[in-house]
């Protein structure tokens, strides 16, 4: 069974631009969570989607948004990019949302904002 | 809000020896879950071990075991017979039972180096 895939793997943008990152969960998984990883702040939860609905949201500004499609694939969008948005963005999938199933992480998308 | 603290930014150990990584957390909840994740240089996070707070018995997975002290809010990871492949960043993580959803709160991580 294929693992979690994220595209693109690397991205370079300039301040003020917007970006869309994609995450394809493991087949059959319906929950997708997003995390931001930076050297200073560590790993921080962005949001979780389950059955096309946002279930939980971390403490990030409204510039960070996401969605989930009927096939469980998820996208996150960051508008009006700032230098501080440079980070590794990880997504994780699990079977469902309420049960404490193992979360499987993707390789991440490395976003650099210049 | 829950917080997770890993006080050891870096640790090193000789191959085949035992190492213990520390983790403390703060929560007012009585039911929750704790995890150790490993992030090798390739960047893909892997679950190492999990512990349910309602279980008194410490979790064990092959060479990996935890020392869960609920009253002290401590959750350390012991790696026995360290191998070169154990070199990675290790993250301690907390998941609320009441909050639902798959939100994990992570510690800052411990970089583990294995010396041959």
């Amino acid at each position: 069974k294929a693992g979690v895939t994220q595209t693109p793997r690397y991205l370079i943008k300039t301040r003020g631009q917007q970006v869309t990152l994609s995450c394809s969960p493991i087949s059959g998984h319906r929950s997708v969570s997003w995390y931001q990883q930076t050297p200073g702040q560590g790993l921080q939860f962005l949001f979780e989607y389950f059955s096309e609905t946002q279930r939980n949201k971390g403490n990030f500004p409204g510039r960070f948004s996401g969605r989930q499609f009927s096939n469980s694939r998820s996208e996150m969008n960051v508008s009006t990019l700032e230098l501080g948005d440079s980070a590794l963005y990880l997504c994780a999938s699990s079977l469902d949302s309420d049960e404490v199933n193992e979360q499987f992480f993707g390789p991440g998308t490395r976003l650099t904002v210049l | 809000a829950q917080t997770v603290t890993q006080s050891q930014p870096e640790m090193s150990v000789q191959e085949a020896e035992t190492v213990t990584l520390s983790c403390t957390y703060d929560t007012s909840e009585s039911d929750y879950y704790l995890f150790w994740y490993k992030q090798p240089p390739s960047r893909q996070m892997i679950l190492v071990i999990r512990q349910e707070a309602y279980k008194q018995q410490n979790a064990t997975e092959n060479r990996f075991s935890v020392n869960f002290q609920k009253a002290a809010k401590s959750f350390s990871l012991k790696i026995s017979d360290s191998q070169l492949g154990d070199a990675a960043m290790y993250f301690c993580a907390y998941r609320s039972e009441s909050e639902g959803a798959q939100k994990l709160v992570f510690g800052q991580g411990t970089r583990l180096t294995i010396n041959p």
Side-chain angles (χ1 to χ4, degrees):
Chain A
K1 186 181 275 191
V4 178
T5 58
Q6 292 187 244
T7 56
R9 292 293 310 277
Y10 302 91
L11 208 47
I12 300 175
K13 293 286 187 179
T14 57
R15 279 180 298 174
Q17 287 186 310
Q18 75 166 19
V19 66
T20 299
L21 312 182
S22 179
C23 173
S24 293
I26 291 171
S27 177
H29 286 194
R30 296 191 296 161
S31 168
V32 175
S33 299
W34 289 89
Y35 294 85
Q36 181 195 64
Q37 185 174 19
T38 60
Q41 299 298 316
L43 278 154
Q44 293 184 287
F45 174 79
L46 279 156
F47 28 63
E48 183 205 0
Y49 285 87
F50 176 73
S51 293
E52 302 178 64
T53 301
Q54 188 180 90
R55 285 225 50 199
N56 206 336
K57 190 178 192 316
N59 188 25
F60 279 83
R63 300 185 297 107
F64 291 81
S65 63
R67 60 177 175 169
Q68 187 179 36
F69 301 94
S70 58
N71 62 357
S72 294
R73 189 177 70 85
S74 177
E75 289 181 347
M76 67 162 282
N77 183 276
V78 188
S79 62
T80 319
L81 283 166
E82 301 177 0
L83 295 178
D85 297 332
S86 294
L88 181 68
Y89 290 89
L90 297 172
C91 82
S93 79
S94 58
L95 276 171
D96 55 39
S97 185
D98 288 322
E99 295 296 319
V100 186
N101 306 115
E102 179 176 351
Q103 291 191 52
F104 294 84
F105 284 80
T109 294
R110 169 73 63 187
L111 171 65
T112 302
V113 182
L114 302 177
Chain B
Q2 300 89 12
T3 59
V4 177
T5 302
Q6 293 177 247
S7 59
Q8 307 152 315
E10 296 184 355
M11 292 277 286
S12 65
V13 65
Q14 291 296 124
E15 192 177 3
E17 293 189 346
T18 295
V19 64
T20 298
L21 308 184
S22 301
C23 172
T24 59
Y25 57 93
D26 187 28
T27 183
S28 58
E29 299 179 327
S30 58
D31 293 323
Y32 49 87
Y33 303 85
L34 297 165
F35 306 85
W36 279 98
Y37 278 88
K38 170 184 177 181
Q39 189 178 40
S42 66
R43 294 291 185 177
Q44 202 129 3
M45 296 263 285
I46 305 165
L47 177 65
V48 175
I49 199 165
R50 63 180 269 179
Q51 175 80 43
E52 290 83 354
Y54 64 83
K55 290 186 178 179
Q56 292 187 344
Q57 186 172 7
N58 290 324
T60 299
E61 287 287 342
N62 300 314
R63 298 182 295 105
F64 299 86
S65 62
V66 299
N67 183 4
F68 173 50
Q69 302 290 326
K70 191 173 184 179
K73 297 180 182 175
S74 170
F75 182 61
S76 61
L77 173 70
K78 186 172 83 170
I79 306 173
S80 304
D81 185 27
S82 299
Q83 301 175 0
L84 294 178
D86 295 333
M89 282 290 289
Y90 285 82
F91 293 95
C92 177
Y94 173 102
R95 183 194 186 276
S96 167
E97 166 67 22
S98 62
E99 193 171 350
Q102 299 289 4
K103 174 183 176 181
L104 294 173
V105 178
F106 286 92
Q108 288 291 99
T110 297
R111 182 177 304 280
L112 178 64
T113 301
I114 311 295
N115 301 311

